[in-house]
Amino acid sequence: LIQKKEKEYFAGNKSLNAVVYTVVGSAESSYMIEPWKRLTKSIQNHNYRGLCFINKIAEGETHYTIMPYLVTHGLISVFENDFKK
């Protein structure tokens, strides 16, 4: 569903003023990893103006252990320029 929404968005919009951090655990099942890979590839290929898009695979993380990783690394990634001031 989210891949369809992203495709529909791109049909009418070539820019997206946002910072997006997305991560999937390497120990997830392919049921989670493969759709994530397709979505992130589509977003990257659309090359939205104004979008800072960060996507990572977190080594050894599972569906249940990813949350602390996501919160910590996501916040640092999104606000790293603010920390350097």
Side-chain angles (χ1 to χ4, degrees):
L1 179 64
I2 194 167
Q3 291 169 330
K4 181 180 176 187
K5 292 288 186 187
E6 191 272 329
K7 185 177 179 181
E8 289 171 357
Y9 181 85
F10 183 71
N13 302 277
K14 303 306 179 216
S15 64
L16 181 58
N17 187 20
V19 177
V20 176
Y21 179 89
T22 181
V23 64
V24 70
S26 69
E28 290 270 14
S29 70
S30 62
Y31 177 79
M32 294 296 292
I33 295 173
E34 293 310 314
W36 177 87
K37 284 181 177 179
R38 287 191 300 272
L39 176 62
T40 58
K41 183 176 176 94
S42 178
I43 293 169
Q44 288 173 317
N45 287 343
H46 287 150
N47 197 28
Y48 293 101
R49 282 185 317 274
L51 176 62
C52 176
F53 184 67
I54 303 138
N55 62 307
K56 296 184 178 188
I57 296 177
E59 195 60 41
E61 300 293 341
T62 69
H63 194 69
Y64 302 104
T65 65
I66 197 71
M67 288 308 290
Y69 182 99
L70 173 65
V71 170
T72 303
H73 291 87
L75 287 172
I76 290 169
S77 177
V78 169
F79 295 107
E80 72 181 325
N81 288 332
D82 292 340
F83 295 141
K84 293 177 183 176
K85 291 180 182 177

